[in-house]
Amino acid sequence: MAAYNKETKNRLEQIVEIARSLSEIQDIDILLERILTETRHIVNADAGSIYVVEGNNLKIKYGQNDTQLKLLEPGEKLPYTYFSFPIDETSISGYVAKTQRPLNIEDAYNIPEDTPYQFNKESDITTDYHTSSIYTFPLKIKGGALLGVIQIINAMDDEGNIVPFSKEAELLISHFASSAVQALQRAYVTSSMVKRMLKMAEFRDPKETYPHVERVSSFSLEIYDRYAFNHGIPYDEQEKYRDLLKIGAKFHDVGKVGISDVILKKAFPRFTEEERNIMKGHTCIGAQLFDPSESDLDIICRDIALHHHDRWDGGESGYPGKIDLCSFSIKDGRLPEGEVLKGNDIPLAARIVAVADVFDALSHKRCYKESWSIEESFNEIYNSAGSHFDPEVVDAFSQIKDRICSILNAIPDTE
């Protein structure tokens, strides 16, 4: 660092510390969101987006814009966006993904006509925003595989004026991207392992599709973010919890891998009382996969799997209640009697996933039922506040209705 001035050296040292903190994040989506946030902060960029590779396309994962965020009420988020476009040279991000080289544009509205790419003004027109400087760079994992593209917009000087991204900014971003590779690699491996485990569950239970678990996971994260704002939960605590919740929610029904096909795939007639009791055992089977718990992630996965069917009011339809996992045997299959578990004794993660899971089940067709309308599904959740569901979780859910609907559209069931 001898060739750098003192300020640059200090910022490079800060980047190393930031990159080290990224290594604690386990969910790939949470990590990508954090990388976008930190990249913007490092070079004081007003806005930005991150796109991930899906086949031959780039799909937007997150968008951030401080100017637009300031126009919203506290606790609100920017609209949930979802779109994809081809990896080719016609768009700025597509060009960077194809060439895998960074691109620094001083003025988006004055790109030379002889370049293969041009700036798409549609987003600016829609949001009444003006994009000027753009810096776009590829995001790679170890071995050079392209994971996605980050685009940051409108660098700002100390007085808040929009300026081009400087050579120093390019240097800082390059160092940060290099430092984040190890965290990206670790989260990517974790993500791949989670997908394999969930694919196994999908093979066993045709109702437990990957889009379903992705929606439940995304719903749960959005509900928690609003719940955390409503309750003033400290930022550091939020960041750690949402990372664990995003993964844990995906395993809510993983215990169904241990249920007999005769019961699991039965459509009509519906379950006998004995079959229903065996089916309820999926909560214990799922929890046993994470017991003994050796990490915070194990604990939240166990809590969600075990208690996402318990009722807030302790009603009879809730299960399994307070139960000793050692008393459950998959060979016997029957769910043992447990004490009632209700209210705040139910882990928060399970209370959140309960709302997300039921809403998604109601609003989608299953082999044993037709889908409910979106409004009917929302109303059922609202009407069950204080009985089936934690009323404060339902309150958070009701405040993010637009984002829930956007997630429904962004993650449809596959045919």
Side-chain angles (χ1 to χ4, degrees):
M1 295 186 188
Y4 305 138
N5 61 44
K6 185 175 180 180
E7 182 180 353
T8 302
K9 285 194 292 184
N10 288 338
R11 295 180 76 178
L12 287 170
E13 289 170 358
Q14 289 172 2
I15 285 172
V16 172
E17 289 302 313
I18 293 169
R20 188 175 292 120
S21 71
L22 296 181
S23 65
E24 299 176 3
I25 301 175
Q26 299 176 76
D27 181 77
I28 187 70
D29 291 343
I30 299 294
L31 178 59
L32 290 172
E33 184 182 17
R34 178 73 176 276
I35 287 174
L36 174 60
T37 300
E38 296 296 351
T39 302
R40 290 179 46 241
H41 288 171
I42 286 167
V43 294
N44 199 26
D46 183 54
S49 300
I50 190 163
Y51 305 92
V52 294
V53 174
E54 284 198 354
N56 296 320
N57 291 330
L58 285 177
K59 177 183 176 181
I60 189 167
K61 201 69 181 178
Y62 295 103
Q64 300 174 352
N65 189 306
D66 286 349
T67 293
Q68 293 178 343
L69 190 62
K70 290 172 184 175
L71 301 176
L72 302 179
E73 292 296 321
E76 290 187 3
K77 293 184 179 182
L78 296 174
Y80 188 99
T81 55
Y82 54 95
F83 58 86
S84 62
F85 51 92
I87 296 176
D88 60 31
E89 295 185 345
T90 61
S91 66
I92 295 171
S93 294
Y95 179 87
V96 169
K98 189 172 179 63
T99 63
Q100 297 197 24
R101 295 195 303 268
L103 189 61
N104 192 343
I105 297 173
E106 291 190 9
D107 185 351
Y109 284 79
N110 285 290
I111 298 174
E113 292 184 3
D114 59 353
T115 60
Y117 53 84
Q118 288 295 318
F119 173 64
N120 186 343
K121 303 173 185 176
E122 185 177 333
S123 178
D124 274 9
I125 294 170
T126 302
T127 60
D128 195 26
Y129 187 73
H130 186 83
T131 299
S132 295
S133 54
I134 304 175
Y135 187 75
T136 312
F137 64 97
L139 197 58
K140 302 178 184 179
I141 56 175
K142 221 167 195 178
L146 182 69
L147 185 62
V149 168
I150 290 184
Q151 184 172 90
I152 51 176
I153 296 170
N154 287 354
M156 305 183 80
D157 62 19
D158 293 341
E159 283 74 44
N161 301 306
I162 297 173
V163 296
F165 287 94
S166 65
K167 290 296 181 183
E168 182 189 16
E170 292 185 21
L171 169 72
L172 294 171
I173 291 170
S174 175
H175 274 270
F176 179 59
S178 298
S179 299
V181 165
Q182 190 171 357
L184 274 170
Q185 182 69 27
R186 187 182 297 109
Y188 185 79
V189 170
T190 300
S191 176
S192 297
M193 185 60 66
V194 168
K195 286 181 180 178
R196 291 189 185 104
M197 292 179 68
L198 294 172
K199 180 61 71 174
M200 176 182 66
E202 186 176 344
F203 287 154
R204 292 294 327 286
D205 182 6
K207 302 185 296 295
E208 197 68 8
T209 64
Y210 193 70
H212 166 68
V213 297
E214 277 291 298
R215 287 192 299 267
V216 169
S217 177
S218 296
F219 293 158
S220 298
L221 183 64
E222 294 292 341
I223 294 168
Y224 173 72
D225 283 349
R226 187 68 203 198
Y227 179 95
F229 172 80
N230 292 345
H231 289 77
I233 296 175
Y235 175 80
D236 289 346
E237 184 179 336
Q238 287 184 46
E239 287 297 290
K240 181 178 179 180
Y241 194 87
R242 68 201 303 268
D243 177 40
L244 301 175
L245 178 63
K246 187 71 162 52
I247 297 176
K250 295 179 180 180
F251 289 109
H252 65 281
D253 274 342
V254 72
K256 289 181 179 178
V257 297
I259 303 297
S260 164
D261 281 353
V262 174
I263 296 174
L264 197 61
K265 298 180 180 180
K266 185 176 182 180
F268 297 101
R270 291 300 290 154
F271 300 137
T272 65
E273 192 59 36
E274 182 178 2
E275 288 171 338
R276 185 175 291 106
N277 190 264
I278 292 173
M279 187 65 178
K280 289 178 179 179
H282 80 274
T283 55
C284 295
I285 297 170
Q288 286 179 335
L289 293 173
F290 303 99
D291 189 68
S293 298
E294 299 175 348
S295 66
D296 289 339
L297 181 58
D298 282 348
I299 292 170
I300 203 167
C301 288
R302 181 200 64 199
D303 286 348
I304 290 171
L306 188 59
H307 293 303
H308 71 284
H309 285 295
D310 278 303
R311 288 176 57 104
W312 173 258
D313 63 1
E316 291 183 1
S317 63
Y319 62 91
K322 297 178 183 178
I323 192 168
D324 179 6
L325 283 177
C326 295
S327 66
F328 176 82
S329 169
I330 191 172
K331 292 181 180 179
D332 175 57
R334 292 181 178 84
L335 188 69
E337 291 290 332
E339 288 182 52
V340 169
L341 187 69
K342 63 180 181 178
N344 288 319
D345 288 339
I346 303 170
L348 174 61
R351 304 196 315 261
I352 290 172
V353 171
V355 171
D357 183 35
V358 171
F359 175 79
D360 196 69
L362 291 174
S363 57
H364 289 83
K365 184 178 180 179
R366 293 291 181 262
C367 62
Y368 54 87
K369 75 168 191 68
E370 292 298 318
S371 63
W372 291 23
S373 72
I374 302 303
E375 282 304 315
E376 288 173 331
S377 302
F378 272 107
N379 287 335
E380 178 63 20
I381 299 297
Y382 300 157
N383 293 336
S384 299
S387 53
H388 191 165
F389 306 119
D390 177 349
E392 293 185 341
V393 170
V394 173
D395 184 45
F397 174 77
S398 70
Q399 292 174 296
I400 57 167
K401 183 176 181 179
D402 288 348
R403 296 187 70 81
I404 295 295
C405 291
S406 295
I407 291 169
L408 282 174
N409 292 325
I411 313 176
D413 276 344
T414 53
E415 294 298 329

